[in-house]
Amino acid sequence: MPPFLSTACRVLFAVLPLGLIAQPSQTPASPSVTPPTEVIPPGLFTLPEGLEITLWAEPPLLRNPTNMDIDAQGRIWVTEGVNYRSERTREPEGDRVMVIEDSTGDGRADRSWTFVREPMLIAPLGIAVIDNQIIVSSAPDMIVYTDVDRDGKYDPRVDKRDVLLTGFHGYNHDHSLHSVTFGPDGRWYFNQGNAGALFTDRSGRTFRVGSAYNFRQSVPMYGWNSPDIAGAKSDDGHVYVGGFAARMNPDGTNVEIIGHNFRNSYEQTITSFGDVFQNDNDDPLAARTAFLMEYGNTGFASNDGQRTWDADRRPGQDTPTAQWRQDDPGIMPAGDVYGGGAPTGIVYYEGDALGPKWRGLLLSADAGRNTILGYLPKPDGAGYALENFIFLTSNKEQEFAGSDFINAVSPATGADRRTHFRPSDVAVGPDGAIYVADWYDSRVGGHGANDTALLGAIYRIAPKGFKSVIPQFDLETVEGQITALKSPAVNVRALGYTRLRDRGPAAIGPVSALLQDENPYIRARAVWLLVELGPEGVARVEEQLRSEDPKLRIVAYRALRRIDHRVLHHARTLATDPSPAVRREVALSLRDMPFAASRDLLLTLARGYDGQDRSYLEAWGTGATGKEEQLYAALASQAPAVPADQWPAAHANLVWRLTPSGAVNDFITRARSERLTQAERLAAVTALGFIPTRESAMALMDFAQNQQGEVKNHGLWWLLNYKDSRWAEHNLDGLLKERGIYDPDNLVIVESTVPEPGPSQLPPVEEIQLLRGDAARGAVSGQACLLCHRVGGQGIDYGPDLTGWASRQTTESVIKSIIDPSAEIALGYQGSEVRLADGGVVHGRVLATRNPVIVQSTGGLMQFIPADRLVTGRGRIVPLRRSLMLSADQLGLSAQDVADIAAWLKTQ
């Protein structure tokens, strides 16, 4: 992820008096160094026609911005990350929360000052300014500073400091606590990366969220790490794993986890209709932007949190499918998986200042790609179609450098300023302009940073000739409150929402008038407010359930759910709504309802499934949570009177989503059937793999012994991967041995080693670059690449897929990677040395460390090595610390061969 995080000792914070560590700065704080004013010049950016970008703030007004928010006065509040990671002692006073202001109104900030600085603020990852509450996300704490005297400076003698929630692991780590966002329902939304969390809300409910992500703690905070609590049940009765998103009341009560199993979603944005969008990941080639369906499981870890995605990668799965478990029941659609990247801030634009074309624009910052991606989400069944385009970039050629996904593991250097734009956040101001924070650096990810000058900038995007006008309003009047509610800046809306809500029934008239507003997002905000204004307001929201606009029907139902008003009554009406998105909301609302109350609704919703809409299927399955076996029995009574391999797609998919033990024989029939496609047969094998019964295991045993092709391979994969967990009580080891399928005692382990390369005998890269590469010859020489890589749909899925990779790199970078593959290794493809008890070794990618240890070696050779065949102790699996790929010299390539292969890869 981007260079965000650092360290200071929590113990220090505990023993020092608050007055000694949090005295406010009375003047703008001076940086520890005097930074140059080097930033990306606006003229280097590419953005849509009709819009312009201007430099709004530059050093020394701010440094290393990790996150920002914009208040009602148009001031931008920034959290800084000067003390990130290895630089954690750079400034022992801690990092700062800065307030930056354009005091003259000329479109350029001219002053800044420190709101607060504390030793425990070490590159905090989030900030929200909601009225005079400044919420700073700085693991392990969510801190609320109340600026009582509203002077923009925290003074412990006057102001208040409250740790609202605590228990978020990842201090000095970017997979930790991220920013708060005010929702249209008056709740606060936030998220946490997969570093783990064990926290108790102020209602007294404890949430335990872990995963297989065993990060190294720069500063140990707790006696537990994320894997220690993986699979633990939270007090709401559900198991959540990995990163998660939540909403809660502003006082920290009634936390609800609304989505989980992320890698490290940096931020969330909530539309006025209540749709949540997020981005995630900085692993190779599978960064994504997605609509977060309520309670959605995004699939980065196994459902019990014990296994990584690559440990569960099944034969033939590409990286995006495996990483987001898109072949598994219970996993929401991944959205737009666009390849390599390091996504950061995200925002949804609901204003009008940019013109009607851009209302409804979703913006996602990607620091790894030097780009702000744009989306105009379109309803697609029960979900959204997301197609990205480049909204803003300093690197229109998209030739990347210094990012993990292009094999950059160690800090990279580079003089090309195009690749130094590292957008950490994007936000909308009360003037309707878009603001972008830039952490200027030649490197992103790898837990490091190159920029010792501590640079940073904020840019403004607006129509050409734009004059910033900050709406003025009096919050003591209804008119002022309405103006605040209509603000394009999301957290400014809170000012109007809370005051109008507090007026109660007296606000019904002016709020109801907003139902006629030309802007549909403002109409939606009115709906959320009306349910809080008493019976008459609720009745007006119920009227919206009959609106011709399905989005208004959705927001009305969501709002009524928040106050738990006649939910089942309205669900019975909406369960046959013509819109699959409306029916999605009904399905989701049934998750925690008992079967007796939800049975008929779930069956009705099942009849509305078209057999293709994955979002609808997952929403329906979410509604069936904890009721799968009962629902299957009810569904089976209505099943078509044909063999299982002749089921209509809709019925087959519904049963697959439930994966009930009662359907084992049906899945066996489908897996064996030559009538079905391979994908349909493998889906049945997958369903059996999720059923923890002996009957299911025996079926897979039969496939591994008697079937052919992928059904056989997948059957064996499921058995060996889950025999000691899912089916531990069924003694599968003995049966596998007895049937001659897998005998660890007589298993022949094939040693596979990657020799350490010597000094290259080839000419320097600069000389090879001058050679004219021949792509046709390169296609022949490059066949060696296919032993470990996929290129254009051919080859072995062992190393990174090289399709399209070289076209995004400079020729110099491609040549370097062929000559010296150990210089920069793609994340997720680091090699290990597995040491055998008999003295042998196996080099490769370790996909699972339990029994058996699964290791994939050169050529894609997959071996299942019994744990007792390895040396004992911690040294049985050690990092190889060099590439698993042979160098050009080791492959016997000449300088011309290298030039030819580079030319060929550029065409793929």
Side-chain angles (χ1 to χ4, degrees):
M1 288 296 293
F4 308 148
L5 228 69
S6 179
T7 303
C9 182
R10 186 175 177 85
V11 175
L12 178 65
F13 178 74
V15 299
L16 285 179
L18 185 61
L20 293 180
I21 63 174
Q23 292 294 334
S25 299
Q26 300 303 315
T27 58
S30 299
S32 59
V33 298
T34 302
T37 57
E38 180 182 10
V39 294
I40 304 292
L44 194 61
F45 287 101
T46 300
L47 72 166
E49 184 68 29
L51 300 180
E52 66 179 359
I53 184 168
T54 56
L55 181 63
W56 190 84
E58 62 183 315
L61 297 179
L62 76 160
R63 306 173 296 165
N64 296 28
T66 64
N67 199 241
M68 67 177 173
D69 195 18
I70 309 176
D71 67 16
Q73 289 74 48
R75 301 177 301 186
I76 296 185
W77 298 61
V78 170
T79 47
E80 293 184 336
V82 169
N83 288 319
Y84 175 66
R85 287 304 179 99
S86 60
E87 304 297 340
R88 60 185 178 270
T89 60
R90 182 147 51 188
E91 294 187 351
E93 305 95 326
D95 276 311
R96 308 179 303 181
V97 175
M98 299 297 293
V99 188
I100 310 171
E101 183 180 47
D102 170 12
S103 65
T104 63
D106 65 354
R108 187 83 174 242
D110 54 88
R111 66 187 295 256
S112 69
W113 65 91
T114 302
F115 170 74
V116 69
R117 185 179 206 174
E118 297 182 347
M120 274 302 295
L121 293 181
I122 303 301
L125 296 182
I127 184 168
V129 181
I130 301 176
D131 200 357
N132 66 333
Q133 292 182 301
I134 293 82
I135 305 103
V136 177
S137 300
S138 185
D141 301 328
M142 180 185 292
I143 308 167
V144 179
Y145 300 94
T146 302
D147 186 12
V148 174
D149 58 8
R150 298 179 181 271
D151 67 348
K153 298 174 183 177
Y154 174 69
D155 182 345
R157 297 165 298 186
V158 178
D159 302 321
K160 297 178 182 178
R161 182 188 191 276
D162 179 28
V163 176
L164 187 65
L165 298 175
T166 189
F168 303 99
H169 222 329
Y171 187 59
N172 188 32
H173 200 284
D174 39 304
H175 290 223
S176 56
L177 185 65
H178 298 289
S179 67
V180 164
T181 306
F182 184 82
D185 53 358
R187 276 66 169 178
W188 289 4
Y189 290 69
F190 67 93
N191 74 48
Q192 160 84 5
N194 64 349
L198 203 170
F199 70 99
T200 301
D201 74 2
R202 294 208 169 177
S203 301
R205 292 201 304 182
T206 297
F207 294 85
R208 306 164 185 87
V209 191
S211 76
Y213 184 56
N214 194 2
F215 69 95
R216 187 179 71 178
Q217 302 177 54
S218 300
V219 175
M221 300 301 298
Y222 301 110
W224 57 270
N225 210 330
S226 188
D228 301 328
I229 58 172
K233 187 176 288 187
S234 292
D235 285 1
D236 66 353
H238 295 281
V239 173
Y240 304 108
V241 300
F244 64 90
R247 64 174 170 242
M248 65 181 177
N249 294 329
D251 62 1
T253 60
N254 295 327
V255 166
E256 298 175 84
I257 291 183
I258 61 169
H260 71 116
N261 210 356
F262 317 155
R263 184 179 192 271
N264 186 33
S265 179
Y266 198 78
E267 203 172 46
Q268 67 287 312
T269 185
I270 305 98
T271 75
S272 290
F273 286 96
D275 291 329
V276 179
F277 291 93
Q278 62 162 213
N279 51 31
D280 195 5
N281 185 45
D282 61 353
D283 266 0
L285 303 178
R288 65 170 178 84
T289 306
F291 162 58
L292 179 61
M293 191 161 58
E294 190 172 24
Y295 311 129
N297 180 339
T298 67
F300 190 72
S302 58
N303 288 341
D304 61 2
Q306 300 290 338
R307 299 168 65 91
T308 62
W309 69 270
D310 50 352
D312 278 346
R313 184 176 189 164
R314 301 198 283 280
Q317 286 184 322
D318 60 24
T319 296
T321 300
Q323 188 167 100
W324 304 118
R325 299 178 190 262
Q326 293 296 283
D327 290 336
D328 292 3
I331 305 299
M332 69 173 227
D336 175 40
V337 182
Y338 57 81
T344 51
I346 188 168
V347 74
Y348 196 88
Y349 189 83
E350 300 181 355
D352 297 304
L354 268 62
K357 176 181 179 179
W358 300 115
R359 185 196 283 171
L361 171 68
L362 176 66
L363 292 171
S364 176
D366 194 306
R369 301 176 75 89
N370 324 115
T371 295
I372 306 289
L373 293 173
Y375 298 86
L376 293 168
K378 297 178 182 177
D380 182 21
Y384 283 93
L386 294 170
E387 183 176 346
N388 75 69
F389 60 92
I390 294 176
F391 181 79
L392 176 74
T393 187
S394 62
N395 184 2
K396 65 180 179 181
E397 295 81 10
Q398 298 288 276
E399 294 178 348
F400 307 117
S403 298
D404 288 343
F405 71 91
I406 56 146
N407 299 349
V409 169
S410 58
T413 58
D416 191 344
R417 296 172 71 188
R418 296 176 306 156
T419 62
H420 291 193
F421 174 54
R422 305 297 184 185
S424 58
D425 202 7
V426 56
V428 180
D431 59 354
I434 294 168
Y435 292 83
V436 177
D438 174 28
W439 175 306
Y440 181 95
D441 207 306
S442 63
R443 181 74 173 105
V444 66
H447 310 301
N450 284 352
D451 177 32
T452 58
L454 310 179
L455 300 178
I458 296 175
Y459 298 89
R460 188 187 74 188
I461 300 170
K464 291 180 179 178
F466 179 81
K467 172 66 175 175
S468 177
V469 177
I470 309 297
Q472 303 297 308
F473 47 81
D474 181 357
L475 283 173
E476 297 303 314
T477 67
V478 172
E479 293 76 12
Q481 294 160 6
I482 292 291
T483 299
L485 182 68
K486 296 172 75 170
S487 176
V490 59
N491 289 337
V492 174
R493 296 171 205 156
L495 300 172
Y497 178 96
T498 54
R499 286 164 176 79
L500 287 164
R501 181 197 59 201
D502 293 345
R503 284 183 177 271
I508 288 176
V511 173
S512 294
L514 297 179
L515 292 173
Q516 308 305 316
D517 197 276
E518 182 274 333
N519 186 321
Y521 297 102
I522 292 174
R523 298 199 293 270
R525 293 172 210 166
V527 171
W528 290 108
L529 254 175
L530 283 168
V531 296
E532 303 286 351
L533 301 181
E536 184 183 346
V538 171
R540 296 196 182 193
V541 171
E542 288 180 304
E543 293 173 5
Q544 301 305 311
L545 294 172
R546 298 186 291 276
S547 169
E548 294 183 359
D549 183 352
K551 295 186 73 174
L552 273 176
R553 300 199 296 275
I554 288 171
V555 72
Y557 186 65
R558 285 172 171 170
L560 292 164
R561 277 185 64 200
R562 291 290 190 279
I563 63 168
D564 195 23
H565 179 77
R566 303 177 72 200
V567 175
L568 274 176
H569 172 80
H570 296 308
R572 293 187 187 102
T573 300
L574 297 179
T576 55
D577 193 277
S579 165
V582 172
R583 300 197 303 275
R584 171 199 71 214
E585 291 301 307
V586 175
L588 295 172
S589 70
L590 303 177
R591 182 186 71 152
D592 293 317
M593 287 190 182
F595 181 66
S598 59
R599 175 189 182 277
D600 291 345
L601 282 167
L602 287 166
L603 290 175
T604 299
L605 291 165
R607 289 191 288 273
Y609 172 51
D610 65 2
Q612 299 178 343
D613 188 338
R614 180 66 180 268
S615 294
Y616 189 99
L617 179 65
E618 287 306 326
W620 181 83
T622 297
T625 299
K627 307 178 278 280
E628 290 85 356
E629 297 291 345
Q630 295 166 291
L631 183 56
Y632 169 68
L635 196 65
S637 67
Q638 303 178 9
V642 295
D645 62 345
Q646 297 179 40
W647 283 347
H651 186 77
N653 292 347
L654 290 167
V655 176
W656 174 83
R657 175 58 181 84
L658 295 175
T659 59
S661 59
V664 165
N665 289 334
D666 293 326
F667 291 131
I668 292 172
T669 298
R670 291 182 65 81
R672 289 175 174 169
S673 178
E674 298 290 340
R675 179 192 300 270
L676 300 179
T677 65
Q678 177 169 284
E680 291 171 318
R681 296 178 67 188
L682 291 180
V685 176
T686 296
L688 290 167
F690 273 90
I691 299 174
T693 65
R694 179 178 174 82
E695 292 74 19
S696 181
M698 291 304 98
L700 294 168
M701 189 87 67
D702 176 67
F703 298 161
Q705 187 171 29
N706 301 316
Q707 290 292 312
Q708 299 298 318
E710 289 305 300
V711 170
K712 177 186 183 75
N713 292 340
H714 280 243
L716 177 60
W717 184 91
W718 279 106
L719 288 170
L720 295 183
N721 272 266
Y722 280 90
K723 65 184 179 62
D724 296 323
S725 54
R726 191 162 291 165
W727 299 295
E729 61 185 87
H730 302 307
N731 188 30
L732 297 190
D733 283 318
L735 291 171
L736 287 164
K737 185 175 181 179
E738 180 183 315
R739 295 194 183 192
I741 299 172
Y742 176 69
D743 183 355
D745 296 330
N746 296 300
L747 184 72
V748 176
I749 301 173
V750 179
E751 290 192 47
S752 177
T753 59
V754 180
E756 188 164 357
S760 177
Q761 303 303 307
L762 292 170
V765 172
E766 295 75 17
E767 291 186 24
I768 298 177
Q769 231 182 316
L770 297 175
L771 298 175
R772 183 173 181 177
D774 186 301
R777 287 199 307 263
V780 177
S781 305
Q783 292 304 299
C785 303
L786 302 182
L787 292 174
C788 295
H789 298 276
R790 289 183 68 79
V791 183
Q794 297 183 331
I796 302 296
D797 204 352
Y798 174 49
D801 190 327
L802 298 182
T803 307
W805 169 75
S807 65
R808 301 189 297 267
Q809 315 304 314
T810 63
T811 300
E812 177 187 15
S813 296
V814 176
I815 292 172
K816 281 182 179 178
S817 69
I818 299 171
I819 293 175
D820 184 11
S822 294
E824 293 188 337
I825 304 170
L827 277 182
Y829 292 91
Q830 295 93 339
S832 295
E833 180 173 283
V834 179
R835 297 175 177 174
L836 307 176
D838 63 7
V841 297
V842 178
H843 290 168
R845 294 176 60 220
V846 173
L847 304 182
T849 58
R850 295 175 181 268
N851 189 20
V853 171
I854 305 174
V855 58
Q856 188 181 26
S857 301
T858 301
L861 173 66
M862 190 86 73
Q863 299 193 74
F864 299 81
I865 305 175
D868 62 6
R869 300 282 293 275
L870 274 60
V871 299
T872 59
R874 299 179 64 181
R876 65 182 194 149
I877 302 174
V878 298
L880 189 60
R881 303 193 186 285
R882 52 189 167 86
S883 177
L884 293 167
M885 174 180 163
L886 296 174
S887 68
D889 290 87
Q890 290 173 307
L891 291 170
L893 300 176
S894 66
Q896 185 62 57
D897 291 334
V898 171
D900 292 342
I901 292 173
W904 169 62
L905 288 174
K906 280 280 192 180
T907 68
Q908 299 303 301

